[in-house]
Amino acid sequence: MRQHCFSFTDALFADEELRARLTEAFWMNVDVPANPDEECWLWTGGLSKLGYGVFFPHKIRLAFPTLKLSYRANRLAAMLALGKPLPVGLIVRHSCDNPPCCSFKHLILGTDQQNSDDMKERKRALYGERNHATHLTTDDVRSIRATYAVGGVSMPQLARQFGVTYNAVFMMIHNHTWKGV
């Protein structure tokens, strides 16, 4: 877990002029819709690979111009709404499941575990073939399970045949992974 230390966010909340300048620059990058109570407030600046808004304070020379810092827009929106840095160990979750959203009404403080639980509950987790890191298809998993069930082929042999680890085969055979197959 990250330890709290003096940072840009500490400076932001210690200096009213800096906070005012940052707040103005930040909200210039947010599209607040006609119905702000219900719709998402979308970040119009840069986005990360995962679609989250990214804010670069050094690019507008607000503070620490030599440090190339970036902050997720939803985190900064939450801090500006709270008027203080986020408590150590907490993250900002989206109730709307829309990564570029900066609406205060859609942002919730929580833990990594709560965020993971949200993802699973809302079926946003990348299981099976949707997971970019997988080497297998649903048909491969069915074949591995069926071959192992018949007998005569060990898990290490199946792992070599399908180009995965023994642990991957063990986990799928014992239904710890690929549960929906």
mmCIF file of all heavy atoms in Angstrom, residues 86-137:
data_model
loop_
_atom_site.group_PDB
_atom_site.id
_atom_site.type_symbol
_atom_site.label_atom_id
_atom_site.label_comp_id
_atom_site.label_asym_id
_atom_site.label_seq_id
_atom_site.Cartn_x
_atom_site.Cartn_y
_atom_site.Cartn_z
ATOM 1 N N LEU A 86 -7.518 12.238 -0.993
ATOM 2 C CA LEU A 86 -8.215 10.993 -0.680
ATOM 3 C C LEU A 86 -7.534 10.308 0.498
ATOM 4 O O LEU A 86 -6.308 10.329 0.617
ATOM 5 C CB LEU A 86 -8.188 10.050 -1.880
ATOM 6 C CG LEU A 86 -8.882 10.537 -3.141
ATOM 7 C CD1 LEU A 86 -8.710 9.515 -4.255
ATOM 8 C CD2 LEU A 86 -10.341 10.815 -2.889
ATOM 9 N N PRO A 87 -8.317 9.678 1.361
ATOM 10 C CA PRO A 87 -7.701 8.928 2.456
ATOM 11 C C PRO A 87 -6.822 7.806 1.906
ATOM 12 O O PRO A 87 -7.155 7.186 0.890
ATOM 13 C CB PRO A 87 -8.907 8.354 3.207
ATOM 14 C CG PRO A 87 -10.059 9.247 2.838
ATOM 15 C CD PRO A 87 -9.774 9.693 1.435
ATOM 16 N N VAL A 88 -5.724 7.562 2.580
ATOM 17 C CA VAL A 88 -4.802 6.503 2.161
ATOM 18 C C VAL A 88 -5.543 5.168 2.172
ATOM 19 O O VAL A 88 -6.294 4.864 3.099
ATOM 20 C CB VAL A 88 -3.571 6.454 3.097
ATOM 21 C CG1 VAL A 88 -2.688 5.251 2.778
ATOM 22 C CG2 VAL A 88 -2.771 7.735 2.987
ATOM 23 N N GLY A 89 -5.366 4.396 1.106
ATOM 24 C CA GLY A 89 -5.981 3.080 1.010
ATOM 25 C C GLY A 89 -7.328 3.071 0.310
ATOM 26 O O GLY A 89 -7.880 2.009 0.074
ATOM 27 N N LEU A 90 -7.857 4.248 -0.012
ATOM 28 C CA LEU A 90 -9.133 4.295 -0.716
ATOM 29 C C LEU A 90 -8.931 4.710 -2.166
ATOM 30 O O LEU A 90 -8.015 5.452 -2.486
ATOM 31 C CB LEU A 90 -10.103 5.264 -0.037
ATOM 32 C CG LEU A 90 -10.591 4.851 1.348
ATOM 33 C CD1 LEU A 90 -11.616 5.853 1.866
ATOM 34 C CD2 LEU A 90 -11.185 3.449 1.340
ATOM 35 N N ILE A 91 -9.809 4.218 -3.007
ATOM 36 C CA ILE A 91 -9.794 4.546 -4.424
ATOM 37 C C ILE A 91 -11.130 5.186 -4.784
ATOM 38 O O ILE A 91 -12.044 5.213 -3.966
ATOM 39 C CB ILE A 91 -9.537 3.301 -5.295
ATOM 40 C CG1 ILE A 91 -10.667 2.277 -5.118
ATOM 41 C CG2 ILE A 91 -8.186 2.686 -4.988
ATOM 42 C CD1 ILE A 91 -10.670 1.193 -6.165
ATOM 43 N N VAL A 92 -11.242 5.666 -6.011
ATOM 44 C CA VAL A 92 -12.501 6.244 -6.488
ATOM 45 C C VAL A 92 -13.130 5.249 -7.450
ATOM 46 O O VAL A 92 -12.526 4.842 -8.425
ATOM 47 C CB VAL A 92 -12.262 7.599 -7.183
ATOM 48 C CG1 VAL A 92 -13.575 8.151 -7.725
ATOM 49 C CG2 VAL A 92 -11.622 8.586 -6.220
ATOM 50 N N ARG A 93 -14.363 4.841 -7.132
ATOM 51 C CA ARG A 93 -15.117 3.905 -7.960
ATOM 52 C C ARG A 93 -16.189 4.665 -8.725
ATOM 53 O O ARG A 93 -16.611 5.738 -8.309
ATOM 54 C CB ARG A 93 -15.769 2.838 -7.073
ATOM 55 C CG ARG A 93 -14.752 2.069 -6.280
ATOM 56 C CD ARG A 93 -15.307 1.380 -5.031
ATOM 57 N NE ARG A 93 -16.612 0.803 -5.176
ATOM 58 C CZ ARG A 93 -17.524 0.807 -4.190
ATOM 59 N NH1 ARG A 93 -17.268 1.373 -3.037
ATOM 60 N NH2 ARG A 93 -18.690 0.251 -4.376
ATOM 61 N N HIS A 94 -16.636 4.107 -9.827
ATOM 62 C CA HIS A 94 -17.709 4.700 -10.636
ATOM 63 C C HIS A 94 -18.995 3.903 -10.437
ATOM 64 O O HIS A 94 -19.020 2.707 -10.732
ATOM 65 C CB HIS A 94 -17.355 4.659 -12.131
ATOM 66 C CG HIS A 94 -16.347 5.653 -12.551
ATOM 67 N ND1 HIS A 94 -14.999 5.371 -12.596
ATOM 68 C CD2 HIS A 94 -16.484 6.934 -12.948
ATOM 69 C CE1 HIS A 94 -14.358 6.447 -13.008
ATOM 70 N NE2 HIS A 94 -15.231 7.403 -13.232
ATOM 71 N N SER A 95 -20.066 4.562 -10.026
ATOM 72 C CA SER A 95 -21.354 3.870 -9.959
ATOM 73 C C SER A 95 -21.940 3.702 -11.357
ATOM 74 O O SER A 95 -22.779 2.843 -11.583
ATOM 75 C CB SER A 95 -22.336 4.632 -9.069
ATOM 76 O OG SER A 95 -22.632 5.897 -9.627
ATOM 77 N N CYS A 96 -21.463 4.504 -12.316
ATOM 78 C CA CYS A 96 -21.981 4.479 -13.688
ATOM 79 C C CYS A 96 -21.181 3.559 -14.614
ATOM 80 O O CYS A 96 -21.562 3.356 -15.764
ATOM 81 C CB CYS A 96 -21.961 5.901 -14.263
ATOM 82 S SG CYS A 96 -20.306 6.632 -14.298
ATOM 83 N N ASP A 97 -20.063 3.022 -14.133
ATOM 84 C CA ASP A 97 -19.202 2.154 -14.950
ATOM 85 C C ASP A 97 -18.682 2.852 -16.197
ATOM 86 O O ASP A 97 -18.446 2.210 -17.220
ATOM 87 C CB ASP A 97 -19.914 0.855 -15.356
ATOM 88 C CG ASP A 97 -20.078 -0.098 -14.197
ATOM 89 O OD1 ASP A 97 -19.247 -0.036 -13.271
ATOM 90 O OD2 ASP A 97 -21.024 -0.898 -14.212
ATOM 91 N N ASN A 98 -18.507 4.157 -16.139
ATOM 92 C CA ASN A 98 -18.048 4.930 -17.293
ATOM 93 C C ASN A 98 -16.716 5.599 -16.918
ATOM 94 O O ASN A 98 -16.720 6.644 -16.255
ATOM 95 C CB ASN A 98 -19.112 5.965 -17.671
ATOM 96 C CG ASN A 98 -18.842 6.601 -19.009
ATOM 97 O OD1 ASN A 98 -17.870 6.296 -19.680
ATOM 98 N ND2 ASN A 98 -19.717 7.523 -19.386
ATOM 99 N N PRO A 99 -15.580 5.010 -17.305
ATOM 100 C CA PRO A 99 -14.271 5.505 -16.852
ATOM 101 C C PRO A 99 -13.998 7.003 -17.033
ATOM 102 O O PRO A 99 -13.389 7.609 -16.155
ATOM 103 C CB PRO A 99 -13.270 4.656 -17.645
ATOM 104 C CG PRO A 99 -14.004 3.392 -17.927
ATOM 105 C CD PRO A 99 -15.441 3.812 -18.142
ATOM 106 N N PRO A 100 -14.438 7.669 -18.119
ATOM 107 C CA PRO A 100 -14.127 9.095 -18.222
ATOM 108 C C PRO A 100 -15.083 10.005 -17.429
ATOM 109 O O PRO A 100 -14.934 11.228 -17.448
ATOM 110 C CB PRO A 100 -14.241 9.384 -19.727
ATOM 111 C CG PRO A 100 -15.153 8.352 -20.259
ATOM 112 C CD PRO A 100 -14.955 7.133 -19.386
ATOM 113 N N CYS A 101 -16.041 9.433 -16.701
ATOM 114 C CA CYS A 101 -17.015 10.241 -15.957
ATOM 115 C C CYS A 101 -16.368 10.912 -14.747
ATOM 116 O O CYS A 101 -15.622 10.287 -13.991
ATOM 117 C CB CYS A 101 -18.186 9.379 -15.501
ATOM 118 S SG CYS A 101 -19.425 10.309 -14.585
ATOM 119 N N CYS A 102 -16.691 12.206 -14.560
ATOM 120 C CA CYS A 102 -16.167 12.987 -13.432
ATOM 121 C C CYS A 102 -17.296 13.554 -12.574
ATOM 122 O O CYS A 102 -17.075 14.465 -11.776
ATOM 123 C CB CYS A 102 -15.293 14.135 -13.946
ATOM 124 S SG CYS A 102 -13.776 13.606 -14.735
ATOM 125 N N SER A 103 -18.523 13.066 -12.743
ATOM 126 C CA SER A 103 -19.660 13.556 -11.970
ATOM 127 C C SER A 103 -19.528 13.144 -10.517
ATOM 128 O O SER A 103 -19.358 11.968 -10.212
ATOM 129 C CB SER A 103 -20.974 13.012 -12.532
ATOM 130 O OG SER A 103 -22.039 13.308 -11.658
ATOM 131 N N PHE A 104 -19.668 14.113 -9.602
ATOM 132 C CA PHE A 104 -19.588 13.809 -8.172
ATOM 133 C C PHE A 104 -20.630 12.763 -7.782
ATOM 134 O O PHE A 104 -20.394 11.948 -6.907
ATOM 135 C CB PHE A 104 -19.865 15.053 -7.330
ATOM 136 C CG PHE A 104 -18.989 16.225 -7.628
ATOM 137 C CD1 PHE A 104 -19.526 17.488 -7.738
ATOM 138 C CD2 PHE A 104 -17.625 16.068 -7.789
ATOM 139 C CE1 PHE A 104 -18.731 18.591 -8.005
ATOM 140 C CE2 PHE A 104 -16.821 17.161 -8.060
ATOM 141 C CZ PHE A 104 -17.379 18.424 -8.170
ATOM 142 N N LYS A 105 -21.780 12.815 -8.441
ATOM 143 C CA LYS A 105 -22.871 11.907 -8.078
ATOM 144 C C LYS A 105 -22.599 10.470 -8.509
ATOM 145 O O LYS A 105 -23.279 9.558 -8.059
ATOM 146 C CB LYS A 105 -24.183 12.400 -8.678
ATOM 147 C CG LYS A 105 -24.597 13.728 -8.093
ATOM 148 C CD LYS A 105 -25.991 14.100 -8.470
ATOM 149 C CE LYS A 105 -26.303 15.433 -7.845
ATOM 150 N NZ LYS A 105 -27.508 15.426 -7.080
ATOM 151 N N HIS A 106 -21.621 10.263 -9.386
ATOM 152 C CA HIS A 106 -21.310 8.919 -9.878
ATOM 153 C C HIS A 106 -20.031 8.358 -9.261
ATOM 154 O O HIS A 106 -19.659 7.228 -9.559
ATOM 155 C CB HIS A 106 -21.157 8.934 -11.400
ATOM 156 C CG HIS A 106 -22.403 9.333 -12.120
ATOM 157 N ND1 HIS A 106 -22.464 9.378 -13.492
ATOM 158 C CD2 HIS A 106 -23.628 9.695 -11.676
ATOM 159 C CE1 HIS A 106 -23.676 9.769 -13.854
ATOM 160 N NE2 HIS A 106 -24.399 9.965 -12.761
ATOM 161 N N LEU A 107 -19.347 9.148 -8.444
ATOM 162 C CA LEU A 107 -18.073 8.728 -7.858
ATOM 163 C C LEU A 107 -18.268 8.322 -6.404
ATOM 164 O O LEU A 107 -18.921 9.019 -5.639
ATOM 165 C CB LEU A 107 -17.037 9.855 -7.966
ATOM 166 C CG LEU A 107 -16.773 10.369 -9.383
ATOM 167 C CD1 LEU A 107 -15.774 11.523 -9.345
ATOM 168 C CD2 LEU A 107 -16.283 9.262 -10.291
ATOM 169 N N ILE A 108 -17.686 7.184 -6.053
ATOM 170 C CA ILE A 108 -17.814 6.620 -4.716
ATOM 171 C C ILE A 108 -16.434 6.238 -4.215
ATOM 172 O O ILE A 108 -15.671 5.598 -4.940
ATOM 173 C CB ILE A 108 -18.667 5.329 -4.747
ATOM 174 C CG1 ILE A 108 -19.986 5.543 -5.485
ATOM 175 C CG2 ILE A 108 -18.904 4.792 -3.353
ATOM 176 C CD1 ILE A 108 -20.640 4.235 -5.906
ATOM 177 N N LEU A 109 -16.111 6.595 -2.985
ATOM 178 C CA LEU A 109 -14.855 6.131 -2.392
ATOM 179 C C LEU A 109 -15.027 4.683 -1.948
ATOM 180 O O LEU A 109 -16.098 4.291 -1.489
ATOM 181 C CB LEU A 109 -14.471 6.993 -1.191
ATOM 182 C CG LEU A 109 -14.085 8.437 -1.485
ATOM 183 C CD1 LEU A 109 -13.646 9.131 -0.194
ATOM 184 C CD2 LEU A 109 -12.996 8.527 -2.516
ATOM 185 N N GLY A 110 -13.983 3.907 -2.098
ATOM 186 C CA GLY A 110 -14.041 2.519 -1.672
ATOM 187 C C GLY A 110 -12.675 1.876 -1.718
ATOM 188 O O GLY A 110 -11.669 2.531 -1.983
ATOM 189 N N THR A 111 -12.664 0.591 -1.496
ATOM 190 C CA THR A 111 -11.416 -0.174 -1.484
ATOM 191 C C THR A 111 -11.232 -0.893 -2.817
ATOM 192 O O THR A 111 -12.170 -1.006 -3.605
ATOM 193 C CB THR A 111 -11.439 -1.220 -0.360
ATOM 194 O OG1 THR A 111 -12.490 -2.154 -0.642
ATOM 195 C CG2 THR A 111 -11.656 -0.582 1.009
ATOM 196 N N ASP A 112 -10.040 -1.405 -3.033
ATOM 197 C CA ASP A 112 -9.780 -2.219 -4.227
ATOM 198 C C ASP A 112 -10.717 -3.428 -4.255
ATOM 199 O O ASP A 112 -11.214 -3.815 -5.313
ATOM 200 C CB ASP A 112 -8.326 -2.694 -4.266
ATOM 201 C CG ASP A 112 -7.368 -1.609 -4.709
ATOM 202 O OD1 ASP A 112 -7.742 -0.799 -5.567
ATOM 203 O OD2 ASP A 112 -6.241 -1.584 -4.183
ATOM 204 N N GLN A 113 -10.943 -4.032 -3.093
ATOM 205 C CA GLN A 113 -11.821 -5.205 -3.019
ATOM 206 C C GLN A 113 -13.249 -4.847 -3.425
ATOM 207 O O GLN A 113 -13.884 -5.579 -4.181
ATOM 208 C CB GLN A 113 -11.813 -5.808 -1.610
ATOM 209 C CG GLN A 113 -12.639 -7.079 -1.504
ATOM 210 C CD GLN A 113 -12.126 -8.184 -2.417
ATOM 211 O OE1 GLN A 113 -10.961 -8.551 -2.341
ATOM 212 N NE2 GLN A 113 -12.988 -8.719 -3.264
ATOM 213 N N GLN A 114 -13.749 -3.706 -2.955
ATOM 214 C CA GLN A 114 -15.098 -3.281 -3.336
ATOM 215 C C GLN A 114 -15.175 -3.036 -4.846
ATOM 216 O O GLN A 114 -16.169 -3.380 -5.485
ATOM 217 C CB GLN A 114 -15.493 -2.010 -2.582
ATOM 218 C CG GLN A 114 -15.764 -2.241 -1.115
ATOM 219 C CD GLN A 114 -15.936 -0.941 -0.357
ATOM 220 O OE1 GLN A 114 -15.192 0.018 -0.557
ATOM 221 N NE2 GLN A 114 -16.935 -0.917 0.517
ATOM 222 N N ASN A 115 -14.123 -2.469 -5.403
ATOM 223 C CA ASN A 115 -14.088 -2.220 -6.843
ATOM 224 C C ASN A 115 -14.097 -3.538 -7.620
ATOM 225 O O ASN A 115 -14.812 -3.681 -8.609
ATOM 226 C CB ASN A 115 -12.840 -1.390 -7.191
ATOM 227 C CG ASN A 115 -12.953 -0.721 -8.529
ATOM 228 O OD1 ASN A 115 -14.010 -0.235 -8.918
ATOM 229 N ND2 ASN A 115 -11.851 -0.668 -9.243
ATOM 230 N N SER A 116 -13.340 -4.514 -7.157
ATOM 231 C CA SER A 116 -13.327 -5.835 -7.793
ATOM 232 C C SER A 116 -14.694 -6.503 -7.674
ATOM 233 O O SER A 116 -15.179 -7.110 -8.631
ATOM 234 C CB SER A 116 -12.273 -6.737 -7.151
ATOM 235 O OG SER A 116 -10.989 -6.278 -7.456
ATOM 236 N N ASP A 117 -15.318 -6.368 -6.512
ATOM 237 C CA ASP A 117 -16.647 -6.947 -6.316
ATOM 238 C C ASP A 117 -17.658 -6.294 -7.253
ATOM 239 O O ASP A 117 -18.505 -6.977 -7.838
ATOM 240 C CB ASP A 117 -17.104 -6.797 -4.862
ATOM 241 C CG ASP A 117 -16.284 -7.635 -3.890
ATOM 242 O OD1 ASP A 117 -15.555 -8.547 -4.345
ATOM 243 O OD2 ASP A 117 -16.355 -7.356 -2.682
ATOM 244 N N ASP A 118 -17.576 -4.967 -7.395
ATOM 245 C CA ASP A 118 -18.455 -4.243 -8.336
ATOM 246 C C ASP A 118 -18.286 -4.806 -9.746
ATOM 247 O O ASP A 118 -19.259 -5.051 -10.452
ATOM 248 C CB ASP A 118 -18.108 -2.745 -8.396
ATOM 249 C CG ASP A 118 -18.501 -1.971 -7.159
ATOM 250 O OD1 ASP A 118 -19.269 -2.501 -6.333
ATOM 251 O OD2 ASP A 118 -18.035 -0.822 -7.023
ATOM 252 N N MET A 119 -17.040 -4.971 -10.153
ATOM 253 C CA MET A 119 -16.725 -5.432 -11.500
ATOM 254 C C MET A 119 -17.333 -6.813 -11.752
ATOM 255 O O MET A 119 -17.933 -7.061 -12.799
ATOM 256 C CB MET A 119 -15.202 -5.451 -11.687
ATOM 257 C CG MET A 119 -14.738 -5.726 -13.081
ATOM 258 S SD MET A 119 -12.959 -5.550 -13.272
ATOM 259 C CE MET A 119 -12.320 -6.753 -12.131
ATOM 260 N N LYS A 120 -17.198 -7.702 -10.785
ATOM 261 C CA LYS A 120 -17.759 -9.052 -10.932
ATOM 262 C C LYS A 120 -19.283 -9.011 -10.942
ATOM 263 O O LYS A 120 -19.923 -9.650 -11.773
ATOM 264 C CB LYS A 120 -17.262 -9.945 -9.803
ATOM 265 C CG LYS A 120 -15.795 -10.289 -9.905
ATOM 266 C CD LYS A 120 -15.329 -11.053 -8.699
ATOM 267 C CE LYS A 120 -13.820 -11.169 -8.694
ATOM 268 N NZ LYS A 120 -13.313 -11.641 -7.401
ATOM 269 N N GLU A 121 -19.860 -8.251 -10.013
ATOM 270 C CA GLU A 121 -21.315 -8.156 -9.902
ATOM 271 C C GLU A 121 -21.949 -7.593 -11.175
ATOM 272 O O GLU A 121 -23.004 -8.031 -11.604
ATOM 273 C CB GLU A 121 -21.658 -7.256 -8.707
ATOM 274 C CG GLU A 121 -23.126 -7.070 -8.449
ATOM 275 C CD GLU A 121 -23.348 -6.145 -7.267
ATOM 276 O OE1 GLU A 121 -22.817 -6.445 -6.170
ATOM 277 O OE2 GLU A 121 -24.040 -5.132 -7.446
ATOM 278 N N ARG A 122 -21.271 -6.637 -11.791
ATOM 279 C CA ARG A 122 -21.801 -5.989 -13.002
ATOM 280 C C ARG A 122 -21.335 -6.678 -14.278
ATOM 281 O O ARG A 122 -21.530 -6.157 -15.369
ATOM 282 C CB ARG A 122 -21.377 -4.522 -13.012
ATOM 283 C CG ARG A 122 -21.967 -3.749 -11.836
ATOM 284 C CD ARG A 122 -21.407 -2.376 -11.764
ATOM 285 N NE ARG A 122 -21.868 -1.692 -10.580
ATOM 286 C CZ ARG A 122 -21.313 -0.616 -10.072
ATOM 287 N NH1 ARG A 122 -20.254 -0.080 -10.675
ATOM 288 N NH2 ARG A 122 -21.790 -0.055 -9.002
ATOM 289 N N LYS A 123 -20.665 -7.804 -14.106
ATOM 290 C CA LYS A 123 -20.178 -8.611 -15.234
ATOM 291 C C LYS A 123 -19.263 -7.821 -16.165
ATOM 292 O O LYS A 123 -19.331 -7.939 -17.379
ATOM 293 C CB LYS A 123 -21.350 -9.220 -15.999
ATOM 294 C CG LYS A 123 -22.254 -10.064 -15.110
ATOM 295 C CD LYS A 123 -22.965 -11.122 -15.854
ATOM 296 C CE LYS A 123 -23.936 -11.897 -15.002
ATOM 297 N NZ LYS A 123 -23.483 -12.466 -13.810
ATOM 298 N N ARG A 124 -18.378 -7.014 -15.562
ATOM 299 C CA ARG A 124 -17.409 -6.264 -16.336
ATOM 300 C C ARG A 124 -16.033 -6.909 -16.277
ATOM 301 O O ARG A 124 -15.108 -6.470 -16.931
ATOM 302 C CB ARG A 124 -17.315 -4.812 -15.821
ATOM 303 C CG ARG A 124 -18.600 -4.042 -16.081
ATOM 304 C CD ARG A 124 -18.427 -2.572 -15.902
ATOM 305 N NE ARG A 124 -17.569 -2.048 -16.949
ATOM 306 C CZ ARG A 124 -16.581 -1.184 -16.723
ATOM 307 N NH1 ARG A 124 -16.312 -0.771 -15.519
ATOM 308 N NH2 ARG A 124 -15.849 -0.742 -17.716
ATOM 309 N N ALA A 125 -15.903 -7.959 -15.475
ATOM 310 C CA ALA A 125 -14.626 -8.659 -15.370
ATOM 311 C C ALA A 125 -14.347 -9.383 -16.681
ATOM 312 O O ALA A 125 -15.263 -9.854 -17.350
ATOM 313 C CB ALA A 125 -14.660 -9.652 -14.209
ATOM 314 N N LEU A 126 -13.104 -9.458 -17.029
ATOM 315 C CA LEU A 126 -12.714 -10.098 -18.288
ATOM 316 C C LEU A 126 -12.430 -11.576 -18.047
ATOM 317 O O LEU A 126 -11.304 -11.978 -17.796
ATOM 318 C CB LEU A 126 -11.502 -9.387 -18.878
ATOM 319 C CG LEU A 126 -11.712 -7.923 -19.212
ATOM 320 C CD1 LEU A 126 -10.427 -7.317 -19.749
ATOM 321 C CD2 LEU A 126 -12.829 -7.747 -20.213
ATOM 322 N N TYR A 127 -13.484 -12.370 -18.122
ATOM 323 C CA TYR A 127 -13.352 -13.804 -17.945
ATOM 324 C C TYR A 127 -13.194 -14.496 -19.286
ATOM 325 O O TYR A 127 -13.665 -14.020 -20.315
ATOM 326 C CB TYR A 127 -14.606 -14.373 -17.265
ATOM 327 C CG TYR A 127 -14.786 -13.916 -15.847
ATOM 328 C CD1 TYR A 127 -15.837 -13.081 -15.490
ATOM 329 C CD2 TYR A 127 -13.913 -14.330 -14.859
ATOM 330 C CE1 TYR A 127 -16.014 -12.668 -14.182
ATOM 331 C CE2 TYR A 127 -14.070 -13.921 -13.545
ATOM 332 C CZ TYR A 127 -15.128 -13.097 -13.220
ATOM 333 O OH TYR A 127 -15.294 -12.694 -11.925
ATOM 334 N N GLY A 128 -12.584 -15.666 -19.245
ATOM 335 C CA GLY A 128 -12.503 -16.508 -20.431
ATOM 336 C C GLY A 128 -11.859 -15.814 -21.617
ATOM 337 O O GLY A 128 -10.840 -15.144 -21.487
ATOM 338 N N GLU A 129 -12.458 -15.984 -22.780
ATOM 339 C CA GLU A 129 -11.885 -15.443 -24.016
ATOM 340 C C GLU A 129 -11.875 -13.919 -24.043
ATOM 341 O O GLU A 129 -11.137 -13.328 -24.822
ATOM 342 C CB GLU A 129 -12.652 -15.984 -25.225
ATOM 343 C CG GLU A 129 -12.405 -17.464 -25.456
ATOM 344 C CD GLU A 129 -13.130 -17.991 -26.681
ATOM 345 O OE1 GLU A 129 -13.036 -17.361 -27.743
ATOM 346 O OE2 GLU A 129 -13.783 -19.043 -26.554
ATOM 347 N N ARG A 130 -12.686 -13.266 -23.214
ATOM 348 C CA ARG A 130 -12.692 -11.795 -23.155
ATOM 349 C C ARG A 130 -11.405 -11.258 -22.512
ATOM 350 O O ARG A 130 -11.067 -10.100 -22.680
ATOM 351 C CB ARG A 130 -13.896 -11.295 -22.355
ATOM 352 C CG ARG A 130 -15.215 -11.490 -23.074
ATOM 353 C CD ARG A 130 -16.377 -10.951 -22.290
ATOM 354 N NE ARG A 130 -16.178 -9.552 -21.948
ATOM 355 C CZ ARG A 130 -16.662 -8.972 -20.855
ATOM 356 N NH1 ARG A 130 -17.373 -9.662 -19.996
ATOM 357 N NH2 ARG A 130 -16.436 -7.701 -20.624
ATOM 358 N N ASN A 131 -10.710 -12.101 -21.751
ATOM 359 C CA ASN A 131 -9.476 -11.696 -21.094
ATOM 360 C C ASN A 131 -8.351 -11.671 -22.129
ATOM 361 O O ASN A 131 -8.025 -12.700 -22.720
ATOM 362 C CB ASN A 131 -9.150 -12.658 -19.956
ATOM 363 C CG ASN A 131 -7.939 -12.248 -19.170
ATOM 364 O OD1 ASN A 131 -7.052 -11.575 -19.675
ATOM 365 N ND2 ASN A 131 -7.905 -12.653 -17.918
ATOM 366 N N HIS A 132 -7.748 -10.503 -22.311
ATOM 367 C CA HIS A 132 -6.706 -10.355 -23.333
ATOM 368 C C HIS A 132 -5.465 -11.205 -23.059
ATOM 369 O O HIS A 132 -4.673 -11.446 -23.951
ATOM 370 C CB HIS A 132 -6.310 -8.878 -23.458
ATOM 371 C CG HIS A 132 -5.620 -8.359 -22.246
ATOM 372 N ND1 HIS A 132 -6.314 -7.952 -21.120
ATOM 373 C CD2 HIS A 132 -4.313 -8.211 -21.962
ATOM 374 C CE1 HIS A 132 -5.444 -7.572 -20.198
ATOM 375 N NE2 HIS A 132 -4.235 -7.714 -20.676
ATOM 376 N N ALA A 133 -5.307 -11.664 -21.838
ATOM 377 C CA ALA A 133 -4.101 -12.422 -21.485
ATOM 378 C C ALA A 133 -4.262 -13.931 -21.685
ATOM 379 O O ALA A 133 -3.302 -14.670 -21.550
ATOM 380 C CB ALA A 133 -3.719 -12.138 -20.030
ATOM 381 N N THR A 134 -5.465 -14.367 -22.013
ATOM 382 C CA THR A 134 -5.673 -15.811 -22.141
ATOM 383 C C THR A 134 -5.026 -16.370 -23.407
ATOM 384 O O THR A 134 -4.904 -15.683 -24.411
ATOM 385 C CB THR A 134 -7.177 -16.166 -22.122
ATOM 386 O OG1 THR A 134 -7.282 -17.580 -22.021
ATOM 387 C CG2 THR A 134 -7.885 -15.709 -23.375
ATOM 388 N N HIS A 135 -4.610 -17.617 -23.312
ATOM 389 C CA HIS A 135 -4.031 -18.323 -24.461
ATOM 390 C C HIS A 135 -4.997 -19.380 -24.978
ATOM 391 O O HIS A 135 -4.685 -20.083 -25.937
ATOM 392 C CB HIS A 135 -2.718 -19.011 -24.068
ATOM 393 C CG HIS A 135 -1.656 -18.052 -23.646
ATOM 394 N ND1 HIS A 135 -0.809 -17.440 -24.524
ATOM 395 C CD2 HIS A 135 -1.336 -17.572 -22.422
ATOM 396 C CE1 HIS A 135 -0.002 -16.639 -23.857
ATOM 397 N NE2 HIS A 135 -0.304 -16.707 -22.591
ATOM 398 N N LEU A 136 -6.113 -19.521 -24.291
ATOM 399 C CA LEU A 136 -7.039 -20.604 -24.608
ATOM 400 C C LEU A 136 -8.383 -20.078 -25.100
ATOM 401 O O LEU A 136 -8.761 -18.955 -24.806
ATOM 402 C CB LEU A 136 -7.276 -21.456 -23.356
ATOM 403 C CG LEU A 136 -6.040 -22.112 -22.747
ATOM 404 C CD1 LEU A 136 -6.381 -22.734 -21.413
ATOM 405 C CD2 LEU A 136 -5.475 -23.147 -23.703
ATOM 406 N N THR A 137 -9.092 -20.944 -25.791
ATOM 407 C CA THR A 137 -10.463 -20.660 -26.196
ATOM 408 C C THR A 137 -11.386 -21.520 -25.331
ATOM 409 O O THR A 137 -10.934 -22.444 -24.639
ATOM 410 C CB THR A 137 -10.696 -21.005 -27.675
ATOM 411 O OG1 THR A 137 -10.560 -22.421 -27.831
ATOM 412 C CG2 THR A 137 -9.722 -20.270 -28.589
#
